[in-house]
Amino acid sequence: MKNITNLKEFACTPDRFQGGHRLCPGCAHSMIVREVVNATDDDLVISTATGCLEVCSAIYPYTSWDVSWIHIGFENAAAAISGAEAMYKALSKKDKLYNEDRRIKFVAFGGDGGTYDIGFQSLSGAAERGHDFLYVCLDNENYANTGGQRSSATPLGAHTSTTPRGRVSYGEKQRKKDLTMIMAAHGCPYVATAIPSTKHWKDLATKAAKAISTVGPTFINALSPCTTEWKFKPEETTEIADLAVETCAFPLYEIEDGHKLRITYRPKQKIPIEEYLSRQGRFAHLFKPENKWIIEEWQKNVDEYWDYLQRREEAGV
Amino acid sequence: MATPKEMLTTWDKVQFGAVLPSFEDPEHKKRSKFHSYNYSVADWRVEKPVFNRDLCIDCDFCWVSCPDSCFIVEEVVNKRGKKQAKIVGINYNLCKGCGVCVEVCPTPIKSLLMFPEYVDNDEALKQWPKKD
Amino acid sequence: MAQKYELKSKEVWDGNMAAAHALRQAQVDVVAAYPITPSTPIVQNYAQFLADGYVDGEFVMVESEHSAMSACVGAAAAGGRVATATSSQGYALMVEVLYQASGMRLPIVMTVVNRALASPLNIHGDHSDLYLGRDAGWIHLIANNPQEAYDMTLCAFKIAEDERVRLPVTTNQDGFLVSHTAQVVKPLQDEDAYKFIGEYKPLNPMLDTKNPVTYGAQTEEEWHFEHKANQHKALMDSPAVIKEVFDEFEKISGRKYNLVETYKLDDADIALVLMGSAYETAILAVDKAREEGIKVGLLMPRVFRPFPYNEVAEKLKNVKAVAALDRSAPMGTTGALYNEVAGALAANGQSAIMTNYIYGLGGRDTTVEHILDVIKETNENAKAGKRVTDLQGFINLRGPKLSFN
Ligand SMILES: Cc1ncc(C[n+]2csc(CCOP(=O)(O)OP(=O)(O)O)c2C)c(N)n1
Ligand code: SF4
Ligand code: SF4
Ligand code: SF4
Ligand SMILES: [Mg+2]
């Protein structure tokens, strides 16, 4: 496992995901990807599901990757990486590896659409089969690449292009699916949540390093604030991510062996959820008097979940 | 730096299976013409970040947060013999002017500030806010 | 090292066992597959070979056919020999990824056991799945019996992996009629089979991490057409290599295969064109018809894609009437094989009278008698010098006669 001590040293890592890609200015996807890729010195083979990251980092005739990379489709990043990992095993068994001296790690990236929704089956299958890979969900809570439609990661009340606010609608009706826990329930040896942030850079980098060095299927759900679809200014990306954590809308925790839960960051004082919601255009309508109950519902959900996490941590289950 | 238009070739000369090699010379990490590192997104910008080396404390927050891998880093050895990254500049071919780096820069007077694209960097440094 | 499997010079295998042995002998690095009738036994037999130490590659039992083909693509791009097996609904579920596999020029081999497509659900043989994959950019080889299922699978690896081709290949055998019908098969010994196929030749392997590559980039209107054209050219050029491989295979096996197979066509006045197990039934019908004085012959494209249209036209240049028999519901037009043959003849200025028959859907029996009826009708057209029968007829369909003009 790469020893991640301080940022000054970490910043000596040569980037293996490069600029010149076409992600929006201020896009969190690439902040997350850079940290994950930099969290190991091993060679990497990466698969990526269709979505913003894929579309913007491999527009022919350009690639932004300094590592081996494949995109097949929207729903099969996990299946693709299982195939590549199986080939690695087969060739090692047969003494036919291309570079005997290199150790290779396998990582898959998918958006929330490619992970929570259409790609969930292939992720579940790959996790259950026990392939040795890290899957990172870039969770921007919508189908950003196709114009901001809802996904099962879209939170309550959010305006998306398929759950628009309207005269008789307050936006998304469902709560966000708890994918991190679902992946833990697969018995994955390591599962964690993370955000792109200067304050929590080490949280993400350490989790990625841990996940990559853990043998077996590991999963990181990284909240990826989306300037374009959440509607905030590009320079605010990391600040919004920090607010998600400080309000406990998106708590930082990790789970080992499917059950050992540890909260990796505890806000000194939990900030009211309004401070997170009010910063994003997608929630603007919630501040109308008739939608006050949704904010209350939000706060209740956040409090309950935070409480649940703390009790689980305490109980060691 | 070839634009995609300039790289356009005919059907018999396209990359086999649309497979793109990252490097032209992998051993020396020389990136190929197919690498976006050799593509410019500078025209996305209306404002650019300007870096003031004199104020920088090398916390590397800008490096870790930049979505476009713009910060040019030099590896140096500190007094205690540990390697550390020193920020030496910004790759303006890759910078889209999002302003994240300015936002995260923690120095009391920011070591990074946004300026209109047309302002010369030397001029920008002259306009830098002064310490009280 | 995998153990050598002791094989007799003659084995009694069904099509599934034959295909499974071919995969074993190819020493495939990664097989990723999902079971579906009637190709399930290929997957099961392979699992047993693995369990008994005859296979040392990886066998990934994925959770769907979509993931099977996706894992195959990931594995093939990683850089090694890859194969899978499927049928029908499984094939349909893979379709998206079939295009992705061929577009990335990955030499995956898929042993297909052909089966009908629902709805209504049906587990028996017809060519709906093969036709579904027609435009997916794969080479499609046809096998009419277990021996051919074995031979074609061995040839498939050599064709797919040839640097002049680098395209995925399916081998096709009819569900149950071939896959579950045990016949004498003369296998090659393990070492001879492997020597014939040869070592896998890597091209842009992702696992060569010293030379990172990007697979699956997005091309838009500036580039997409050029890539598709390039791939089409590779398919159009592949017959030269396919012929070479067939010739080489003949040298070691004594069994000769051709782009287009024929039976008693040289002196024929009329011809039937069909693929799959019914071709063997048709051979019996031809012999019978010839006893009755009808000079009829048969033609089968061994290679359905790329379609050998010039060879087909050449072989049919002396016949007066041709009936093309399609084993798939044409759903609103003439059958695909009819269209191919009619196009081939038209392109070469030939004017044999052409008719189309739909037969055998969902495993419906097609007997010698049924084919004799087709031969007689075709002969009527030849004698009249114009089409006097309906354009499209249905064979062994219950109920009032169904036909179209
Ligand atoms: C099978 C299939 N269905 C639909 C699409 C269209 N599509 C492409 S990307 C995308 C949304 C991606 O959303 P997400 O996975 O959340 O990634 P993001 O773009 O938000 O990062 C959709 C719907 C597709 N490419 N393939
Ligand atoms: S739409 Fe959102 S996720 Fe997609 S590139 Fe833009 S900021 Fe990133
Ligand atoms: S403005 Fe944005 S893209 Fe440019 S250097 Fe700063 S963080 Fe990077
Ligand atoms: S964030 Fe500011 S102080 Fe820190 S390294 Fe960058 S420019 Fe220097
Ligand atoms: Mg998304």
Side-chain angles (χ1 to χ4, degrees):
Chain A
M1 178 172 157
K2 179 161 172 168
N3 187 21
I4 293 161
T5 51
N6 59 60
L7 190 49
K8 289 177 197 247
E9 197 185 318
F10 188 56
C12 294
T13 318
D15 267 306
R16 289 187 286 176
F17 176 66
Q18 273 297 341
H21 54 68
R22 321 292 167 87
L23 292 158
C24 299
C27 178
H29 279 6
S30 54
M31 300 180 187
I32 298 163
V33 169
R34 284 185 58 228
E35 273 209 64
V36 170
V37 172
N38 288 338
T40 176
D41 295 325
D42 290 331
D43 284 358
L44 287 170
V45 171
I46 292 179
S47 82
T48 300
T50 313
C52 283
L53 175 65
E54 165 273 321
V55 164
C56 300
S57 69
I59 301 180
Y60 192 91
Y62 292 111
T63 175
S64 304
W65 300 90
D66 283 359
V67 298
S68 293
W69 184 88
I70 187 168
H71 154 252
I72 308 178
F74 189 18
E75 65 286 64
N76 48 11
I81 209 72
S82 357
E85 185 256 12
M87 183 56 76
Y88 183 54
K89 277 192 196 143
L91 298 190
S92 350
K93 248 194 286 181
K94 295 184 179 187
D95 273 332
K96 284 185 179 173
L97 285 179
Y98 294 97
N99 309 305
E100 290 290 349
D101 53 325
R102 305 278 182 113
R103 198 165 55 184
I104 303 178
K105 298 290 183 181
F106 297 85
V107 177
F109 290 105
D112 47 302
T115 309
Y116 283 67
D117 293 344
I118 199 167
F120 180 64
Q121 173 182 315
S122 89
L123 170 60
S124 177
E128 172 276 322
R129 291 191 298 275
H131 294 279
D132 187 8
F133 73 112
L134 162 63
Y135 191 105
V136 179
C137 176
L138 304 167
D139 185 359
N140 57 13
E141 304 187 327
N142 77 98
Y143 298 169
N145 181 52
T146 42
Q149 298 82 24
R150 85 171 287 269
S151 78
S152 60
T154 304
L156 181 69
H159 163 89
T160 72
S161 58
T162 49
T163 57
R165 57 185 150 231
R167 262 188 301 164
V168 295
S169 171
Y170 56 82
E172 171 70 17
K173 304 282 181 296
Q174 272 76 37
R175 281 176 67 177
K176 187 180 170 80
K177 175 157 122 185
D178 193 351
L179 186 65
T180 316
M181 289 296 177
I182 295 170
M183 293 318 295
H186 280 70
C188 293
Y190 187 78
V191 160
T193 59
I195 57 161
S197 143
T198 46
K199 182 168 177 190
H200 299 289
W201 75 268
K202 199 172 174 181
D203 185 80
L204 169 53
T206 314
K207 284 170 174 172
K210 239 187 201 179
I212 290 172
S213 63
T214 301
V215 177
T218 55
F219 178 77
I220 293 178
N221 199 9
L223 188 73
S224 185
C226 167
T227 154
T228 305
E229 299 300 339
W230 295 16
K231 304 199 170 34
F232 56 81
K233 293 202 208 91
E235 69 267 27
E236 296 172 351
T237 300
T238 62
E239 202 187 334
I240 300 288
D242 283 336
L243 278 170
V245 166
E246 296 298 331
T247 53
C248 292
F250 194 84
L252 295 176
Y253 64 91
E254 61 186 12
I255 302 178
E256 279 173 22
D257 299 327
H259 65 278
K260 275 174 265 166
L261 188 146
R262 193 173 76 82
I263 294 169
T264 56
Y265 173 75
R266 220 173 284 274
K268 286 201 182 63
Q269 191 162 15
K270 193 164 35 140
I271 299 175
I273 196 65
E274 282 95 327
E275 304 214 9
Y276 174 60
L277 302 179
S278 64
R279 296 291 300 277
Q280 307 169 46
R282 63 175 173 156
F283 294 121
H285 56 292
L286 299 190
F287 292 87
K288 287 192 199 155
E290 66 269 28
N291 288 333
K292 193 164 165 257
W293 66 273
I294 300 170
I295 297 181
E296 285 163 8
E297 178 82 13
W298 249 98
Q299 189 65 60
K300 192 173 115 269
N301 295 342
V302 163
D303 292 346
E304 275 174 14
Y305 195 73
W306 181 238
D307 197 45
Y308 159 75
L309 287 180
Q310 287 177 304
R311 278 187 285 124
R312 262 192 73 171
E313 183 184 48
E314 212 171 301
V317 292
Chain B
M1 224 171 288
T3 66
K5 275 241 154 59
E6 287 160 4
M7 276 166 78
L8 260 181
T9 60
T10 48
W11 67 267
D12 49 331
K13 296 198 181 74
V14 289
Q15 283 295 104
F16 181 87
V19 178
L20 301 169
S22 309
F23 297 107
E24 182 184 301
D25 177 0
E27 201 161 329
H28 300 97
K29 298 263 180 262
K30 184 174 183 321
R31 296 192 179 90
S32 73
K33 65 175 177 180
F34 301 108
H35 206 298
S36 71
Y37 183 80
N38 294 320
Y39 176 76
S40 176
V41 289
D43 57 357
W44 289 36
R45 249 183 353 244
V46 278
E47 286 196 312
K48 63 177 173 185
V50 176
F51 173 55
N52 190 332
R53 184 57 258 177
D54 294 342
L55 300 172
C56 175
I57 55 168
D58 288 316
C59 68
D60 299 326
F61 283 178
C62 53
W63 175 86
V64 80
S65 297
C66 173
D68 296 279
S69 320
C70 296
F71 285 88
I72 305 166
V73 156
E74 203 179 274
E75 198 178 305
V76 294
V77 178
N78 71 7
K79 288 180 210 109
R80 273 166 282 133
K82 290 245 161 70
K83 69 172 182 183
Q84 71 172 59
K86 182 180 165 194
I87 305 290
V88 293
I90 295 169
N91 183 337
Y92 283 115
N93 282 330
L94 308 181
C95 171
K96 295 174 187 146
C98 68
V100 166
C101 53
V102 173
E103 201 65 27
V104 300
C105 182
T107 49
I109 297 175
K110 294 219 180 245
S111 319
L112 286 160
L113 283 175
M114 297 306 280
F115 283 88
E117 188 62 29
Y118 58 81
V119 175
D120 191 69
N121 277 16
D122 290 336
E123 183 54 34
L125 287 170
K126 279 184 211 152
Q127 293 175 16
W128 217 269
K130 298 279 176 295
K131 278 179 200 159
D132 297 319
Chain C
M1 259 299 272
Q3 279 180 53
K4 181 182 152 68
Y5 199 106
E6 292 303 329
L7 292 173
K8 297 194 277 296
S9 64
K10 285 181 183 170
E11 296 279 348
V12 178
W13 287 344
D14 61 18
N16 279 328
M17 185 56 91
H21 271 289
L23 296 187
R24 181 187 61 72
Q25 290 185 321
Q27 298 184 24
V28 179
D29 296 309
V30 172
V31 170
Y34 193 82
I36 179 168
T37 307
S39 58
T40 301
I42 298 180
V43 178
Q44 288 173 342
N45 295 337
Y46 193 78
Q48 192 63 53
F49 295 149
L50 184 84
D52 292 337
Y54 294 116
V55 164
D56 54 9
E58 284 290 305
F59 179 52
V60 190
M61 266 288 107
V62 284
E63 82 299 330
S64 75
E65 285 87 353
H66 195 284
S67 284
M69 188 44 66
S70 304
C72 283
V73 169
R81 186 165 288 158
V82 173
T84 186
T86 198
S87 300
S88 178
Q89 312 302 132
Y91 194 112
L93 192 55
M94 281 181 184
V95 166
E96 181 195 23
V97 197
L98 296 183
Y99 282 75
Q100 290 154 340
S102 67
M104 295 185 209
R105 308 291 298 273
L106 298 170
I108 298 162
V109 169
M110 175 154 82
T111 55
V112 180
V113 178
N114 300 115
R115 166 183 151 181
L117 280 168
S119 190
L121 189 67
N122 177 293
I123 59 164
H124 288 90
D126 73 28
H127 296 159
S128 309
D129 44 15
L130 168 63
Y131 284 17
L132 182 63
R134 210 174 45 184
D135 295 346
W138 289 52
I139 291 171
H140 299 296
L141 307 177
I142 313 296
N144 297 343
N145 54 48
Q147 179 73 64
E148 292 182 5
Y150 172 79
D151 294 350
M152 283 305 116
T153 307
L154 293 182
C155 290
F157 286 102
K158 203 169 171 66
I159 295 165
E161 293 172 12
D162 190 289
E163 51 273 84
R164 292 163 294 172
V165 178
R166 286 316 259 215
L167 285 165
V169 180
T170 72
T171 61
N172 294 267
Q173 52 171 302
D174 282 344
F176 293 101
L177 295 169
V178 180
S179 67
H180 287 64
T181 304
Q183 286 184 8
V184 170
V185 174
K186 292 186 197 156
L188 301 177
Q189 289 304 311
D190 284 3
E191 56 279 11
D192 298 334
Y194 190 72
K195 207 172 125 209
F196 167 69
I197 298 172
E199 285 283 308
Y200 179 80
K201 293 176 280 300
L203 186 65
N204 297 325
M206 288 199 296
L207 290 176
D208 179 7
T209 43
K210 282 184 185 162
N211 297 286
V213 281
T214 285
Y215 273 88
Q218 178 165 5
T219 62
E220 284 307 332
E221 63 277 27
E222 285 177 340
W223 302 92
H224 189 81
F225 198 3
E226 281 67 29
H227 279 281
K228 291 290 185 187
N230 185 296
Q231 185 187 339
H232 176 62
K233 173 84 159 60
L235 270 156
M236 295 297 267
D237 288 348
S238 64
V241 175
I242 298 173
K243 273 193 240 170
E244 255 178 58
V245 171
F246 284 170
D247 288 347
E248 208 178 312
F249 188 72
E250 185 192 2
K251 283 191 200 120
I252 58 163
S253 69
R255 293 185 289 275
K256 168 110 185 105
Y257 294 108
N258 303 286
L259 296 176
V260 170
E261 307 289 1
T262 57
Y263 182 69
K264 296 196 176 166
L265 194 56
D266 288 348
D267 66 339
D269 292 329
I270 62 167
L272 268 47
V273 179
L274 74 173
M275 314 183 282
S277 56
Y279 187 81
E280 311 228 311
T281 313
I283 285 176
L284 303 176
V286 163
D287 288 346
K288 246 193 173 153
R290 282 196 170 247
E291 280 167 23
E292 293 172 26
I294 305 176
K295 282 194 184 164
V296 54
L298 298 178
L299 180 144
M300 173 182 103
R302 168 77 58 199
V303 183
F304 182 55
R305 277 293 183 279
F307 193 79
Y309 49 86
N310 285 331
E311 286 80 356
V312 167
E314 167 66 24
K315 299 274 185 204
L316 294 176
K317 69 172 187 283
N318 294 325
V319 299
K320 300 187 185 78
V322 179
L325 282 66
D326 279 284
R327 192 165 198 160
S328 177
M331 292 302 172
T333 182
T334 39
L337 203 46
Y338 170 92
N339 293 344
E340 297 294 356
V341 176
L345 297 187
N348 286 279
Q350 291 165 230
S351 54
I353 301 152
M354 281 218 54
T355 48
N356 182 210
Y357 290 86
I358 307 301
Y359 75 101
L361 301 196
R364 174 62 48 84
D365 273 357
T366 305
T367 63
V368 173
E369 300 314 313
H370 295 131
I371 294 185
L372 268 175
D373 289 345
V374 173
I375 291 173
K376 282 174 189 157
E377 286 191 12
T378 311
N379 203 33
E380 292 300 304
N381 291 334
K383 278 195 298 199
K386 60 178 192 199
R387 187 160 62 76
V388 293
T389 65
D390 292 332
L391 174 62
Q392 184 178 59
F394 282 67
I395 301 173
N396 196 15
L397 174 71
R398 289 201 309 275
K401 181 175 180 203
L402 180 65
S403 65
F404 297 93
N405 265 307

